[in-house]
Each structure stands twice: as structure tokens, then as C-alpha cells.
Amino acid sequence: MSGEIIVNANQYDAIEGIEFIYPSGAERILARPFAERYTLEKVVGSLNGQSLLDLACGHGEYTRFFRDLGASELVGVDISEKLLSVAKQIELTSDKSDEITPITYLLHNAAEMPKIGNFDVVAATHLLHYAENIDELNKMCLGMSNNIKSGGKLYVLGANPEYNPRGPVLDKYGYRMHIPPHVKDGQEIFLEVKLDEPILIQGYHWSAETREKLLREAGFTNIQWHHMQVSPEGLAKYGEAFWQEYLSNPHDVLMSADRI
Ligand SMILES: C[S@@+](CC[C@H](N)C(=O)[O-])C[C@H]1O[C@@H](n2cnc3c(N)ncnc32)[C@H](O)[C@@H]1O
């Protein structure tokens, strides 16, 4: 590993300038606009008239994306004051017309999430790998469950438990996964974000079975896994061959579930 900045869930705020480094870099990671956003859009579809809670919203990039999909009430929650301040600043300087739904940003640890509403939809992008142990993972699942109304929808985008550490590697798409072979639940993993100064995000592996079990126990059903897809724009811009390695071994995966 060659990253110069190492970050875990609680360390974002300790990094000098993270409020500039992460948001500016995120836009340049090809897998985000061309695969993550596209897959979310295909699976989530229209959010017209729905309330949405975005857990681990960071600087609000995906919270604003969910607004673009039509959500009519939006709350973003994160543990990082610095990234929330970027999100709030973007809100302050963005279009104020009456048609634009405002986003409320709140500081909370998703593993100690109080009930703040009965949302139609709860989303969590790049959150679950921050759970340091099974108890914390369980509390995150319960926090999501407590904030969704019965019949509501959950979308969780995050580390692909089936990622093959032998490759292909994903550097050209903006990420490199550092995962030991035969990785077990709770074992340390790193996601390297390929910025000018690479960021090494420390996390923990949670298998598909463990995530599903905890979600079911927390009150979810109809759990589905959605493989990453690449948008027509991404295919046109870089060519189909360019995306083959990513699609054969994507770093993340989208999960959806229904609240009983
Ligand atoms: C890699 S960023 C992703 C941000 C956003 N979801 C996105 O994809 O643009 C991970 C975010 O998770 C937040 N985070 C980590 N652990 C958290 C926790 N326990 N509760 C709430 N937020 C957390 C970090 O502060 C950071 O903003």
C-alpha cells in the first residue's frame, strides 16, 4: 500500500483539508458517476414525493442526487462535521427556487442513530464497512430500520463482499481494494481512493450472509443484491472493453430491502 492519508470512520475530521480533498476527488473517480450513480438510478428509480434519509452522506453528493430523483423531503446524516459543513455550504450557495427541496444535514453516528423520522426511503452509501465489530454493524442496521416506515425501502451501496482480491485490480476506475485472501467477518480491509494523494480508507469486511442476517433480524425482507452496471455515457466515452475488468470484479455492490 502506498497511500499517504489513512482514514477510518472517526478520523475524517482529523485530516487537514479533508473538506476539500474528498469532495474534489470524488468527482474524478470514474466508478462513481458512471457505475455507482447509474446503478442507483436504475434500481431506485423515481423518488417522487418520497421522504429520504441519507446515512453517511458526507459532503452530500448522493443526497443531492436523490433530490434529483425526486425526493421531496431530505435529511443527510454524517459523523464528520467537516464534510457536513461542505454539504451545508453547497446548500447555501445553490439554487434557492421554490421547486428545489432543501436538504437538512444532521450530525449523528449511524451506529447510535436515534429515531428522527418515519422515512419512505433510507439510503446508506459507503457506510457499513466502517462498523468495527458485529455489535456496531447490528446497531447500524437497527438505526436504518427504526427510521423507515413499514413498507419503506432501504438502499445500501457498499463494499462488495464477493470482491476477488486476486483481481482484476481497479486502479483505472479510481479505486484499489486491499483485502486479504479468504477474508473473514470483522477482518480489516482498506479501500484506496486513487487521488493525487491517495486516501486509504480503513474498514472491515462483512460477508453477504452476515449483512443479510442482521438486516432480516432488524425487520427487513426481500433483500436483493444488484450488480454494478455502467451507464451508456460511460460506455460511449471509454468503450465497452475499458469497463470489462470493473464489471467482472466491482469494488462495491448495491443492496435493496423492504421494511416489514
Ligand atoms: C467515503 S465517505 C462517503 C460519503 C458519501 N456517502 C458518498 O458516497 O459520497 C464515507 C462517509 O461515511 C461517514 N461515516 C463513517 N462512519 C460513520 C458513522 N458511524 N456514522 C455516520 N457517518 C459515518 C464519514 O464521515 C464519511 O463522510
Side-chain angles (χ1 to χ4, degrees):
M1 283 183 280
S2 59
E4 289 177 25
I5 303 176
I6 300 187
V7 64
N8 69 23
N10 299 309
Q11 287 173 351
Y12 276 82
D13 280 359
I15 296 173
E16 185 82 23
I18 190 67
E19 66 272 41
F20 309 112
I21 298 167
Y22 185 79
S24 65
E27 293 291 330
R28 289 164 29 209
I29 305 298
L30 296 185
R32 283 177 69 95
F34 297 116
E36 291 186 359
R37 271 175 183 253
Y38 182 66
T39 308
L40 275 167
E41 188 170 353
K42 290 280 277 188
V43 173
V44 173
S46 168
L47 289 172
N48 266 348
Q50 300 193 47
S51 58
L52 181 140
L53 170 65
D54 185 16
L55 291 174
C57 64
H59 64 295
E61 184 184 325
Y62 284 142
T63 327
R64 292 184 291 280
F65 168 73
F66 293 128
R67 170 163 64 194
D68 293 344
L69 294 183
S72 58
E73 185 194 331
L74 290 133
V75 179
V77 160
D78 202 276
I79 204 173
S80 161
E81 280 185 53
K82 280 189 182 175
L83 290 175
L84 282 178
S85 76
V86 178
K88 287 179 190 167
Q89 189 58 34
I90 293 172
E91 225 23 42
L92 280 177
T93 51
S94 64
D95 187 346
K96 295 284 186 316
S97 68
D98 286 349
E99 292 96 71
I100 303 288
T101 307
I103 301 172
T104 304
Y105 288 106
L106 301 174
L107 184 71
H108 285 292
N109 178 348
E112 292 164 14
M113 192 61 207
K115 182 169 177 66
I116 61 166
N118 250 331
F119 292 86
D120 296 310
V121 179
V122 170
T125 54
H126 307 294
L127 169 69
L128 293 188
H129 61 280
Y130 290 110
E132 288 185 21
N133 51 53
I134 192 97
D135 183 46
E136 223 171 76
L137 186 67
N138 190 33
K139 286 181 182 159
M140 286 182 184
C141 294
L142 291 171
M144 298 192 285
S145 173
N146 288 339
N147 281 287
I148 307 190
K149 70 178 191 190
S150 174
K153 217 58 200 163
L154 174 71
Y155 298 102
V156 178
L157 179 78
N160 174 11
E162 306 302 329
Y163 177 82
N164 185 348
R166 286 185 298 192
V169 292
L170 307 174
D171 292 17
K172 65 181 175 182
Y173 314 103
Y175 292 112
R176 181 178 287 209
M177 302 289 275
H178 300 272
I179 297 189
H182 314 296
V183 64
K184 300 249 177 352
D185 269 347
Q187 214 172 323
E188 188 180 57
I189 58 172
F190 284 92
L191 171 64
E192 183 176 346
V193 188
K194 292 282 186 184
L195 303 178
D196 298 336
E197 270 185 295
I199 301 181
L200 274 178
I201 298 176
Q202 181 197 33
Y204 300 88
H205 173 83
W206 299 110
S207 65
E209 298 74 46
T210 298
R211 295 184 213 182
E212 285 195 21
K213 176 175 179 287
L214 295 186
L215 284 174
R216 269 195 302 274
E217 287 171 4
F220 290 100
T221 183
N222 188 27
I223 298 170
Q224 292 182 33
W225 296 83
H226 309 272
H227 196 272
M228 286 292 114
Q229 302 177 49
V230 174
S231 68
E233 292 77 18
L235 294 174
K237 189 163 180 189
Y238 297 93
E240 266 183 46
F242 174 84
W243 291 102
Q244 263 169 20
E245 287 150 302
Y246 180 75
L247 289 173
S248 70
N249 196 23
H251 74 296
D252 56 8
V253 67
L254 176 60
M255 201 189 345
S256 65
D258 297 341
R259 179 75 172 87
I260 292 168

